Amino acid sequence: FAAPAGVLEASPSSLTTNFDLGSVQASISTGPEAPWNPEGWLGSRWTRWLLPCRYAVRSTNSRGTWNNREAYVHAEAQYGARFPKSWRWVQATDTNATIVATGGAFEIGPLTTNTWLCRYQIGDRVWSFRTTDPRTSCEEVSDEGEASLQLVLRRSFGGEKRRLELTCTAKPTTFSEPLYCPTREGFSHSPGSRESFSSTVRVKADVNGEVVDERIFEGACLEFGGA
């Protein structure tokens, strides 16, 4: 894919992009990738027509390069007719853990439901939460004005009761101006979406009531979009 600002090249095993926005220039490439299917069963050929916004995560914590420096690369895409009516998005990584979570007023066919999708990886252990799956739930407390988001995700799986707690905060002054997003009426930045790349994400994971991981991500991404 080529555009005036740069080039994006995708192969079955890697992703490379180079762009120049004047004040910002970047060259990014991925190594071996760690893809995730966030849609689960809804993304099958029998049901994907129900989704006006498709969501694919190509790489969650691939080792790659950013302007010839070592980096962890997260690559994802949304495509289809339009974005959800409203959404929140979190992404963070460190040397041995990574998390991505998104949710909000998602459209599934004629219904608008409060849906959450989350992937948390610690070393080789991967937890996936989709509230469209059985025995999976999410409690949310969010405040865009205060730039805060709290989630408690639960899933019963394979005899385990998994619980993942996220507390995301950022300084309101670190958020971007509203960005353009696809809507029913075309691209609009009212209300659009606002992003911070300087947030803090506190995570606590437990199985059957026993804490198995607890950590803090700094320099995380936090986004509030839609109305």
Side-chain angles (χ1 to χ4, degrees):
F1 174 80
V7 176
L8 173 67
E9 297 181 5
S11 74
S13 60
S14 65
L15 189 70
T16 302
T17 184
N18 295 275
F19 62 85
D20 187 340
L21 301 178
S23 60
V24 178
Q25 302 84 37
S27 175
I28 306 168
S29 64
T30 66
E33 298 181 331
W36 176 51
N37 172 22
E39 295 176 346
W41 63 271
L42 271 174
S44 73
R45 65 175 180 168
W46 308 109
T47 52
R48 60 192 178 195
W49 60 272
L50 291 167
L51 306 174
C53 181
R54 303 294 307 280
Y55 182 41
V57 179
R58 174 159 179 155
S59 179
T60 51
N61 63 343
S62 170
R63 286 184 177 271
T65 61
W66 168 278
N67 290 344
N68 299 317
R69 293 177 295 176
E70 289 188 1
Y72 291 98
V73 180
H74 176 93
E76 65 172 60
Q78 296 81 39
Y79 58 100
R82 58 189 176 274
F83 274 16
K85 293 181 178 179
S86 68
W87 69 93
R88 274 73 65 202
W89 177 74
V90 180
Q91 191 274 322
T93 191
D94 64 18
T95 54
N96 68 337
T98 184
I99 189 164
V100 58
T102 188
F106 288 12
E107 294 177 64
I108 302 175
L111 304 176
T112 298
T113 65
N114 187 39
T115 302
W116 274 94
L117 311 168
C118 177
R119 180 188 189 275
Y120 187 49
Q121 180 173 354
I122 319 158
D124 295 329
R125 178 187 292 182
V126 177
W127 286 8
S128 289
F129 298 86
R130 304 177 185 91
T131 56
T132 52
D133 288 344
R135 300 181 299 280
T136 306
S137 65
C138 179
E139 299 173 13
E140 173 194 354
V141 177
S142 61
D143 188 326
E144 182 176 354
E146 295 295 325
S148 67
L149 172 67
Q150 292 180 298
L151 302 174
V152 178
L153 296 122
R154 293 181 174 88
R155 185 185 185 201
S156 297
F157 177 78
E160 294 183 343
K161 291 184 178 180
R162 297 177 177 178
R163 181 181 184 274
L164 188 66
E165 182 177 331
L166 281 67
T167 302
C168 316
T169 56
K171 292 182 180 179
T173 55
T174 64
F175 281 81
S176 67
E177 294 298 316
L179 305 174
Y180 279 83
C181 300
T183 71
R184 287 182 180 272
E185 289 74 34
F187 278 85
S188 173
H189 67 323
S190 178
S193 74
R194 299 173 64 246
E195 299 178 348
S196 170
F197 299 96
S198 302
S199 68
T200 299
V201 179
R202 293 173 171 82
V203 177
K204 183 167 70 172
D206 64 65
V207 176
N208 298 330
E210 180 180 348
V211 176
V212 295
D213 187 66
E214 194 167 6
R215 70 184 62 232
I216 298 175
F217 295 95
E218 298 288 357
C221 307
L222 178 59
E223 177 185 24
F224 294 91

